[in-house]
Amino acid sequence: MAAIGVSLFTTRITHRKKRLVAGKFKVSSISVKQSTESKRKQVEKQSVTKETTTTTIPKAFDESEIEQLSVKDYLERAKEMIKSDGGPPRWFSPLECGARWNHSPLLLFLPGVDGIGLGLIMNHQRLGKIFDIWCLHIPVMDRTPFEDLVRLVERTVKSESSRSPNRPIYLVGESFGGCLALAVAARNPTADLMLILVNPATSLSKSQLRPLLPLLPVLEAMPEQLHVGFPYILGLVAGDPFRMMMATIEKGLPLQQTVVELSENLAATLPSLSVVADILPRESLPWKLQILKSAASFANSRIHAIKAETLILASGKDQLLPSLEEAERLYHLLPTCQIRKFNDSGHALLMEGGVDLVTIIKGAGFYRRTRKIDYVSDFMPPTPSEFKQVYDSWYRLVDIALSPVMLSTLDDGKIVRGLAGIPQKGPVVLVGYHMLLGLELGPLFNRFLYEKNILLRGMAHPLMFGKNWERSLLDYSSFDLYRIMGGVPVSPSNFYKLLSQNSHVLLYPGGVREALHRKGEEYKLFWPLQSEFVRMAARFGATIIPFGVIGEDDILNLIIDYDDFLKIPFVKSLIEEINDGRVRRLRDEINGEVAKEDIYFPGVLPKLPGRFYFLFGKPIDTQEELQDRERAHELYIHVKSEVERNIAYLKEKREKDPYRTFLSRLIYQAIHGSATEVPTFEV
């Protein structure tokens, strides 16, 4: 993988996607050994080795050649795959997946009750860049009992685990396939499995299908003319057709163009809808419902034995299953479980637009290639579309409201507007002040990507990567943004790895104490007495850039702080409960204010927004390794004093900014255009 931090994108976010000929699927009844050997040869030809350059995004993460598939593609390919060949259930690999990352783990897709195995079709190309994908195909008229299907998947898991013992195996189960994944995990508690359950059918007893279960004999004898419409009804209940049709329509288009494209998609798809009746023919429907009942019962009776890490994707508008309720139930039964909710989605979640499984996996911190996740070597850079999604959802609002001012210092000491003083080549360590709640992070990441094409790798508190900590949050995905944008748990080993990759590392010595400071402590540094990063940076000859940032007092009033909360008995108990063993202490051996790392959520009131100001100081070279602790400490004190000096400079200069207030900036852009950069004080 390319050294992250330098020239992440070769094209800007507005790049055009290239269209390729639609890929097809190779389906065959093959043994696990044969499949493995053929795949290994394919990997030798197509695998992408780790890039050592810093000028291009690795091919495994390049989305410029990804073709957006649709429901129409699913129906057309399903039409070919449901043709009866008398064969047993078997694995197939989507040929369109193409080249993938080195040492990619195996992903086994376990389909819903339809059994086709194409449920990941809209994600095949992106998933195929980071996984070796095998999809299970269960022929329409197949009558293999559920336990035999469990044994089929189990044999594959054991065989592949023995061939690659240090790599995990992902089981992605959709609906019925979720029960199958749970059953395999329960029977193999020592296997290194990662489960992704998409609206699992373990809640069948509470399903809309429950009234049909006692009627299985009646359904079997149902006249064909009465049966024809049933699959259509079932298909509509299973997913939201409108959201599926919207999957391939580009967001942000004018209303008229959106309507035209939607109409074209609908017209192209309608002729293929007849295949739905062939996927669930009259002869197979009773058996499908019976095996679904067996699967739910089997999985529920063995949940207690599951040890695998689990990620549950739950739809809020699933008209077939109570998926949100079931996700919460499983969340409390499984030992290591995460949930991601999709409140506006239906049962066929992975067939809907805007649902990118790769992005979900990245955000949840659920991707690893070895027995333990490595947030440095397993990191996948955000694609242009992912960054655009992040920017549109958060950064754009901050840019408009705060119009951040970025200043940097050239080698000759001259201060200029923009980031010209930031070295393009790493390793670089940016060391600075952490504003309240980390408010500066959005503008910082955004401007470095847009102006310098650099992705900062922020060293963050481990709580942002703790799976158990998510249970305390109102929104389980609160920290997904930081993981997608390259956040790394702060530790000496991760710092070492980032420097060895020539990264641009963002470091806050003040940590939690600075970001959750008390009233009257804004712009005060809470750094440890001893140097923590200088000698490591010097070992790699990294450039250190001290920076200051101000503006928190222009957008927020801190009303209730940590000391205030401790005076309220029940709040004090809650804070103690949160911090008692659930939050890892980073500096147990240090005394003083910096060691006070208790997590709490300050009470704030927003102001009419002012402006953020950043000043990046003169780059400090560390070409020679600093073995002498005294010299390293002197440099550490110098860096700290430079951060304080930068803050003082900005506080003085902002008083002379005629566009410090939101209203003044609004008037300026109304006159000169909304895309015009708002001026600031004279540098």
Side-chain angles (χ1 to χ4, degrees), residues 397-406 417 447 610-613 657 659 662 665 669 676-680:
L397 178 62
V398 173
D399 266 352
I400 294 173
L402 302 177
S403 187
V405 175
M406 297 273 177
R417 187 164 187 185
R447 192 60 62 90
R611 204 170 192 183
F612 280 0
Y613 302 86
D657 185 0
Y659 301 102
F662 179 71
R665 296 194 301 273
Q669 291 189 318
T676 306
E677 186 176 51
V678 180
T680 186

PDB file of all heavy atoms in Angstrom, residues 397-406 417 447 610-613 657 659 662 665 669 676-680:
ATOM      1  N   LEU A 397     -20.375  22.175   5.660  1.00  0.00           N
ATOM      2  CA  LEU A 397     -21.070  23.067   6.584  1.00  0.00           C
ATOM      3  C   LEU A 397     -20.074  23.896   7.388  1.00  0.00           C
ATOM      4  O   LEU A 397     -20.267  25.101   7.592  1.00  0.00           O
ATOM      5  CB  LEU A 397     -21.957  22.253   7.518  1.00  0.00           C
ATOM      6  CG  LEU A 397     -22.730  23.033   8.583  1.00  0.00           C
ATOM      7  CD1 LEU A 397     -23.702  24.005   7.920  1.00  0.00           C
ATOM      8  CD2 LEU A 397     -23.483  22.084   9.509  1.00  0.00           C
ATOM      9  N   VAL A 398     -18.989  23.249   7.842  1.00  0.00           N
ATOM     10  CA  VAL A 398     -17.965  23.957   8.611  1.00  0.00           C
ATOM     11  C   VAL A 398     -17.277  25.005   7.749  1.00  0.00           C
ATOM     12  O   VAL A 398     -17.020  26.132   8.187  1.00  0.00           O
ATOM     13  CB  VAL A 398     -16.936  22.950   9.174  1.00  0.00           C
ATOM     14  CG1 VAL A 398     -15.776  23.684   9.840  1.00  0.00           C
ATOM     15  CG2 VAL A 398     -17.596  22.000  10.154  1.00  0.00           C
ATOM     16  N   ASP A 399     -16.979  24.665   6.503  1.00  0.00           N
ATOM     17  CA  ASP A 399     -16.332  25.616   5.597  1.00  0.00           C
ATOM     18  C   ASP A 399     -17.190  26.852   5.387  1.00  0.00           C
ATOM     19  O   ASP A 399     -16.700  27.987   5.413  1.00  0.00           O
ATOM     20  CB  ASP A 399     -16.065  24.934   4.249  1.00  0.00           C
ATOM     21  CG  ASP A 399     -14.668  24.341   4.187  1.00  0.00           C
ATOM     22  OD1 ASP A 399     -13.888  24.589   5.117  1.00  0.00           O
ATOM     23  OD2 ASP A 399     -14.366  23.633   3.215  1.00  0.00           O
ATOM     24  N   ILE A 400     -18.484  26.627   5.168  1.00  0.00           N
ATOM     25  CA  ILE A 400     -19.388  27.745   4.908  1.00  0.00           C
ATOM     26  C   ILE A 400     -19.560  28.617   6.149  1.00  0.00           C
ATOM     27  O   ILE A 400     -19.508  29.847   6.083  1.00  0.00           O
ATOM     28  CB  ILE A 400     -20.754  27.216   4.429  1.00  0.00           C
ATOM     29  CG1 ILE A 400     -20.613  26.537   3.068  1.00  0.00           C
ATOM     30  CG2 ILE A 400     -21.775  28.351   4.360  1.00  0.00           C
ATOM     31  CD1 ILE A 400     -21.867  25.848   2.594  1.00  0.00           C
ATOM     32  N   ALA A 401     -19.729  27.963   7.300  1.00  0.00           N
ATOM     33  CA  ALA A 401     -20.033  28.706   8.525  1.00  0.00           C
ATOM     34  C   ALA A 401     -18.811  29.411   9.110  1.00  0.00           C
ATOM     35  O   ALA A 401     -18.921  30.513   9.658  1.00  0.00           O
ATOM     36  CB  ALA A 401     -20.632  27.764   9.564  1.00  0.00           C
ATOM     37  N   LEU A 402     -17.632  28.792   8.996  1.00  0.00           N
ATOM     38  CA  LEU A 402     -16.463  29.304   9.711  1.00  0.00           C
ATOM     39  C   LEU A 402     -15.392  29.913   8.815  1.00  0.00           C
ATOM     40  O   LEU A 402     -14.521  30.627   9.308  1.00  0.00           O
ATOM     41  CB  LEU A 402     -15.839  28.186  10.549  1.00  0.00           C
ATOM     42  CG  LEU A 402     -16.766  27.540  11.584  1.00  0.00           C
ATOM     43  CD1 LEU A 402     -16.051  26.404  12.297  1.00  0.00           C
ATOM     44  CD2 LEU A 402     -17.237  28.571  12.591  1.00  0.00           C
ATOM     45  N   SER A 403     -15.414  29.601   7.525  1.00  0.00           N
ATOM     46  CA  SER A 403     -14.429  30.141   6.586  1.00  0.00           C
ATOM     47  C   SER A 403     -13.021  30.135   7.192  1.00  0.00           C
ATOM     48  O   SER A 403     -12.402  31.188   7.406  1.00  0.00           O
ATOM     49  CB  SER A 403     -14.816  31.581   6.203  1.00  0.00           C
ATOM     50  OG  SER A 403     -13.986  32.072   5.186  1.00  0.00           O
ATOM     51  N   PRO A 404     -12.468  28.946   7.504  1.00  0.00           N
ATOM     52  CA  PRO A 404     -11.186  28.866   8.212  1.00  0.00           C
ATOM     53  C   PRO A 404     -10.044  29.561   7.462  1.00  0.00           C
ATOM     54  O   PRO A 404      -9.974  29.522   6.235  1.00  0.00           O
ATOM     55  CB  PRO A 404     -10.937  27.356   8.294  1.00  0.00           C
ATOM     56  CG  PRO A 404     -12.280  26.724   8.115  1.00  0.00           C
ATOM     57  CD  PRO A 404     -13.015  27.624   7.181  1.00  0.00           C
ATOM     58  N   VAL A 405      -9.168  30.188   8.220  1.00  0.00           N
ATOM     59  CA  VAL A 405      -7.976  30.842   7.677  1.00  0.00           C
ATOM     60  C   VAL A 405      -6.774  29.952   7.976  1.00  0.00           C
ATOM     61  O   VAL A 405      -6.500  29.638   9.134  1.00  0.00           O
ATOM     62  CB  VAL A 405      -7.765  32.236   8.307  1.00  0.00           C
ATOM     63  CG1 VAL A 405      -6.451  32.843   7.815  1.00  0.00           C
ATOM     64  CG2 VAL A 405      -8.938  33.142   7.985  1.00  0.00           C
ATOM     65  N   MET A 406      -6.072  29.531   6.928  1.00  0.00           N
ATOM     66  CA  MET A 406      -4.890  28.685   7.084  1.00  0.00           C
ATOM     67  C   MET A 406      -3.644  29.481   6.721  1.00  0.00           C
ATOM     68  O   MET A 406      -3.538  30.007   5.602  1.00  0.00           O
ATOM     69  CB  MET A 406      -4.997  27.459   6.174  1.00  0.00           C
ATOM     70  CG  MET A 406      -6.148  26.533   6.482  1.00  0.00           C
ATOM     71  SD  MET A 406      -5.714  25.316   7.737  1.00  0.00           S
ATOM     72  CE  MET A 406      -7.294  24.459   7.921  1.00  0.00           C
ATOM     73  N   ARG A 417      -0.451  32.944   3.421  1.00  0.00           N
ATOM     74  CA  ARG A 417      -1.762  32.309   3.506  1.00  0.00           C
ATOM     75  C   ARG A 417      -1.762  31.039   2.659  1.00  0.00           C
ATOM     76  O   ARG A 417      -1.266  31.017   1.538  1.00  0.00           O
ATOM     77  CB  ARG A 417      -2.862  33.254   3.022  1.00  0.00           C
ATOM     78  CG  ARG A 417      -4.255  32.661   3.275  1.00  0.00           C
ATOM     79  CD  ARG A 417      -5.364  33.664   3.184  1.00  0.00           C
ATOM     80  NE  ARG A 417      -6.618  33.047   3.604  1.00  0.00           N
ATOM     81  CZ  ARG A 417      -7.803  33.644   3.540  1.00  0.00           C
ATOM     82  NH1 ARG A 417      -7.889  34.893   3.083  1.00  0.00           N
ATOM     83  NH2 ARG A 417      -8.887  33.020   3.940  1.00  0.00           N
ATOM     84  N   ARG A 447      -8.728  20.771   4.360  1.00  0.00           N
ATOM     85  CA  ARG A 447      -7.831  21.683   3.644  1.00  0.00           C
ATOM     86  C   ARG A 447      -6.560  20.972   3.178  1.00  0.00           C
ATOM     87  O   ARG A 447      -6.051  21.248   2.088  1.00  0.00           O
ATOM     88  CB  ARG A 447      -7.484  22.878   4.536  1.00  0.00           C
ATOM     89  CG  ARG A 447      -6.800  24.009   3.778  1.00  0.00           C
ATOM     90  CD  ARG A 447      -7.670  24.549   2.645  1.00  0.00           C
ATOM     91  NE  ARG A 447      -8.901  25.117   3.142  1.00  0.00           N
ATOM     92  CZ  ARG A 447      -9.045  26.390   3.488  1.00  0.00           C
ATOM     93  NH1 ARG A 447      -8.021  27.218   3.392  1.00  0.00           N
ATOM     94  NH2 ARG A 447     -10.215  26.833   3.909  1.00  0.00           N
ATOM     95  N   GLY A 610     -17.992  32.617  14.649  1.00  0.00           N
ATOM     96  CA  GLY A 610     -16.904  33.513  14.284  1.00  0.00           C
ATOM     97  C   GLY A 610     -16.058  32.850  13.217  1.00  0.00           C
ATOM     98  O   GLY A 610     -16.570  32.416  12.186  1.00  0.00           O
ATOM     99  N   ARG A 611     -14.758  32.693  13.496  1.00  0.00           N
ATOM    100  CA  ARG A 611     -13.859  32.159  12.474  1.00  0.00           C
ATOM    101  C   ARG A 611     -12.754  31.346  13.110  1.00  0.00           C
ATOM    102  O   ARG A 611     -12.316  31.643  14.228  1.00  0.00           O
ATOM    103  CB  ARG A 611     -13.271  33.320  11.671  1.00  0.00           C
ATOM    104  CG  ARG A 611     -12.801  32.964  10.278  1.00  0.00           C
ATOM    105  CD  ARG A 611     -12.459  34.195   9.471  1.00  0.00           C
ATOM    106  NE  ARG A 611     -12.271  33.859   8.065  1.00  0.00           N
ATOM    107  CZ  ARG A 611     -11.918  34.717   7.128  1.00  0.00           C
ATOM    108  NH1 ARG A 611     -11.712  35.989   7.440  1.00  0.00           N
ATOM    109  NH2 ARG A 611     -11.760  34.333   5.870  1.00  0.00           N
ATOM    110  N   PHE A 612     -12.287  30.318  12.418  1.00  0.00           N
ATOM    111  CA  PHE A 612     -11.139  29.523  12.858  1.00  0.00           C
ATOM    112  C   PHE A 612      -9.878  30.067  12.173  1.00  0.00           C
ATOM    113  O   PHE A 612      -9.906  30.435  10.995  1.00  0.00           O
ATOM    114  CB  PHE A 612     -11.310  28.053  12.481  1.00  0.00           C
ATOM    115  CG  PHE A 612     -12.200  27.276  13.415  1.00  0.00           C
ATOM    116  CD1 PHE A 612     -12.796  27.874  14.517  1.00  0.00           C
ATOM    117  CD2 PHE A 612     -12.434  25.922  13.199  1.00  0.00           C
ATOM    118  CE1 PHE A 612     -13.607  27.161  15.372  1.00  0.00           C
ATOM    119  CE2 PHE A 612     -13.249  25.199  14.052  1.00  0.00           C
ATOM    120  CZ  PHE A 612     -13.839  25.816  15.137  1.00  0.00           C
ATOM    121  N   TYR A 613      -8.775  30.074  12.936  1.00  0.00           N
ATOM    122  CA  TYR A 613      -7.492  30.521  12.406  1.00  0.00           C
ATOM    123  C   TYR A 613      -6.429  29.478  12.740  1.00  0.00           C
ATOM    124  O   TYR A 613      -6.311  29.048  13.889  1.00  0.00           O
ATOM    125  CB  TYR A 613      -7.086  31.868  13.015  1.00  0.00           C
ATOM    126  CG  TYR A 613      -8.093  32.975  12.796  1.00  0.00           C
ATOM    127  CD1 TYR A 613      -9.161  33.149  13.677  1.00  0.00           C
ATOM    128  CD2 TYR A 613      -7.963  33.858  11.723  1.00  0.00           C
ATOM    129  CE1 TYR A 613     -10.083  34.163  13.491  1.00  0.00           C
ATOM    130  CE2 TYR A 613      -8.882  34.880  11.527  1.00  0.00           C
ATOM    131  CZ  TYR A 613      -9.944  35.025  12.416  1.00  0.00           C
ATOM    132  OH  TYR A 613     -10.859  36.023  12.220  1.00  0.00           O
ATOM    133  N   ASP A 657      -9.057  41.363  11.912  1.00  0.00           N
ATOM    134  CA  ASP A 657      -9.723  40.727  10.768  1.00  0.00           C
ATOM    135  C   ASP A 657     -11.099  41.361  10.558  1.00  0.00           C
ATOM    136  O   ASP A 657     -12.001  41.192  11.389  1.00  0.00           O
ATOM    137  CB  ASP A 657      -9.869  39.222  11.016  1.00  0.00           C
ATOM    138  CG  ASP A 657     -10.450  38.493   9.816  1.00  0.00           C
ATOM    139  OD1 ASP A 657     -10.745  39.151   8.794  1.00  0.00           O
ATOM    140  OD2 ASP A 657     -10.625  37.264   9.898  1.00  0.00           O
ATOM    141  N   TYR A 659     -13.330  40.460   8.691  1.00  0.00           N
ATOM    142  CA  TYR A 659     -14.325  39.441   8.348  1.00  0.00           C
ATOM    143  C   TYR A 659     -14.381  38.331   9.398  1.00  0.00           C
ATOM    144  O   TYR A 659     -14.697  37.185   9.089  1.00  0.00           O
ATOM    145  CB  TYR A 659     -14.011  38.848   6.965  1.00  0.00           C
ATOM    146  CG  TYR A 659     -13.998  39.894   5.878  1.00  0.00           C
ATOM    147  CD1 TYR A 659     -12.795  40.394   5.386  1.00  0.00           C
ATOM    148  CD2 TYR A 659     -15.186  40.408   5.370  1.00  0.00           C
ATOM    149  CE1 TYR A 659     -12.778  41.373   4.394  1.00  0.00           C
ATOM    150  CE2 TYR A 659     -15.177  41.392   4.386  1.00  0.00           C
ATOM    151  CZ  TYR A 659     -13.971  41.866   3.907  1.00  0.00           C
ATOM    152  OH  TYR A 659     -13.974  42.835   2.934  1.00  0.00           O
ATOM    153  N   PHE A 662     -19.579  36.260  11.242  1.00  0.00           N
ATOM    154  CA  PHE A 662     -20.319  35.523  10.221  1.00  0.00           C
ATOM    155  C   PHE A 662     -21.055  36.469   9.275  1.00  0.00           C
ATOM    156  O   PHE A 662     -21.071  36.274   8.053  1.00  0.00           O
ATOM    157  CB  PHE A 662     -21.304  34.568  10.897  1.00  0.00           C
ATOM    158  CG  PHE A 662     -22.147  33.780   9.939  1.00  0.00           C
ATOM    159  CD1 PHE A 662     -21.602  32.767   9.173  1.00  0.00           C
ATOM    160  CD2 PHE A 662     -23.502  34.059   9.791  1.00  0.00           C
ATOM    161  CE1 PHE A 662     -22.369  32.031   8.280  1.00  0.00           C
ATOM    162  CE2 PHE A 662     -24.289  33.341   8.906  1.00  0.00           C
ATOM    163  CZ  PHE A 662     -23.718  32.327   8.151  1.00  0.00           C
ATOM    164  N   ARG A 665     -18.808  38.104   6.624  1.00  0.00           N
ATOM    165  CA  ARG A 665     -18.421  37.160   5.570  1.00  0.00           C
ATOM    166  C   ARG A 665     -19.599  36.890   4.628  1.00  0.00           C
ATOM    167  O   ARG A 665     -19.428  36.720   3.420  1.00  0.00           O
ATOM    168  CB  ARG A 665     -17.917  35.855   6.185  1.00  0.00           C
ATOM    169  CG  ARG A 665     -16.641  36.012   6.997  1.00  0.00           C
ATOM    170  CD  ARG A 665     -15.995  34.672   7.309  1.00  0.00           C
ATOM    171  NE  ARG A 665     -16.866  33.776   8.064  1.00  0.00           N
ATOM    172  CZ  ARG A 665     -16.969  33.769   9.385  1.00  0.00           C
ATOM    173  NH1 ARG A 665     -16.255  34.642  10.106  1.00  0.00           N
ATOM    174  NH2 ARG A 665     -17.751  32.901  10.008  1.00  0.00           N
ATOM    175  N   GLN A 669     -19.476  37.532   0.563  1.00  0.00           N
ATOM    176  CA  GLN A 669     -19.717  36.505  -0.449  1.00  0.00           C
ATOM    177  C   GLN A 669     -20.987  36.775  -1.250  1.00  0.00           C
ATOM    178  O   GLN A 669     -21.105  36.332  -2.391  1.00  0.00           O
ATOM    179  CB  GLN A 669     -19.773  35.125   0.216  1.00  0.00           C
ATOM    180  CG  GLN A 669     -18.414  34.675   0.739  1.00  0.00           C
ATOM    181  CD  GLN A 669     -18.408  33.236   1.213  1.00  0.00           C
ATOM    182  OE1 GLN A 669     -19.355  32.796   1.870  1.00  0.00           O
ATOM    183  NE2 GLN A 669     -17.356  32.499   0.883  1.00  0.00           N
ATOM    184  N   THR A 676     -16.024  32.551  -3.624  1.00  0.00           N
ATOM    185  CA  THR A 676     -14.871  33.425  -3.428  1.00  0.00           C
ATOM    186  C   THR A 676     -14.296  33.265  -2.027  1.00  0.00           C
ATOM    187  O   THR A 676     -15.036  33.226  -1.039  1.00  0.00           O
ATOM    188  CB  THR A 676     -15.268  34.902  -3.633  1.00  0.00           C
ATOM    189  OG1 THR A 676     -15.878  35.040  -4.912  1.00  0.00           O
ATOM    190  CG2 THR A 676     -14.050  35.808  -3.539  1.00  0.00           C
ATOM    191  N   GLU A 677     -12.954  33.166  -1.947  1.00  0.00           N
ATOM    192  CA  GLU A 677     -12.307  33.065  -0.641  1.00  0.00           C
ATOM    193  C   GLU A 677     -12.398  34.404   0.078  1.00  0.00           C
ATOM    194  O   GLU A 677     -12.072  35.449  -0.478  1.00  0.00           O
ATOM    195  CB  GLU A 677     -10.848  32.650  -0.800  1.00  0.00           C
ATOM    196  CG  GLU A 677     -10.153  32.397   0.530  1.00  0.00           C
ATOM    197  CD  GLU A 677      -8.735  31.892   0.355  1.00  0.00           C
ATOM    198  OE1 GLU A 677      -7.968  32.544  -0.399  1.00  0.00           O
ATOM    199  OE2 GLU A 677      -8.389  30.869   0.948  1.00  0.00           O
ATOM    200  N   VAL A 678     -12.845  34.349   1.330  1.00  0.00           N
ATOM    201  CA  VAL A 678     -13.020  35.573   2.112  1.00  0.00           C
ATOM    202  C   VAL A 678     -11.655  36.044   2.621  1.00  0.00           C
ATOM    203  O   VAL A 678     -10.898  35.260   3.193  1.00  0.00           O
ATOM    204  CB  VAL A 678     -13.977  35.334   3.295  1.00  0.00           C
ATOM    205  CG1 VAL A 678     -14.152  36.616   4.107  1.00  0.00           C
ATOM    206  CG2 VAL A 678     -15.323  34.833   2.793  1.00  0.00           C
ATOM    207  N   PRO A 679     -11.313  37.328   2.439  1.00  0.00           N
ATOM    208  CA  PRO A 679     -10.019  37.840   2.921  1.00  0.00           C
ATOM    209  C   PRO A 679      -9.932  37.795   4.446  1.00  0.00           C
ATOM    210  O   PRO A 679     -10.900  37.517   5.145  1.00  0.00           O
ATOM    211  CB  PRO A 679     -10.001  39.286   2.416  1.00  0.00           C
ATOM    212  CG  PRO A 679     -11.053  39.357   1.360  1.00  0.00           C
ATOM    213  CD  PRO A 679     -12.093  38.349   1.743  1.00  0.00           C
ATOM    214  N   THR A 680      -8.754  38.122   4.932  1.00  0.00           N
ATOM    215  CA  THR A 680      -8.542  38.160   6.381  1.00  0.00           C
ATOM    216  C   THR A 680      -7.566  39.295   6.686  1.00  0.00           C
ATOM    217  O   THR A 680      -7.347  40.192   5.862  1.00  0.00           O
ATOM    218  CB  THR A 680      -8.021  36.807   6.894  1.00  0.00           C
ATOM    219  OG1 THR A 680      -7.948  36.830   8.323  1.00  0.00           O
ATOM    220  CG2 THR A 680      -6.672  36.457   6.303  1.00  0.00           C
TER     221      THR A 680
END
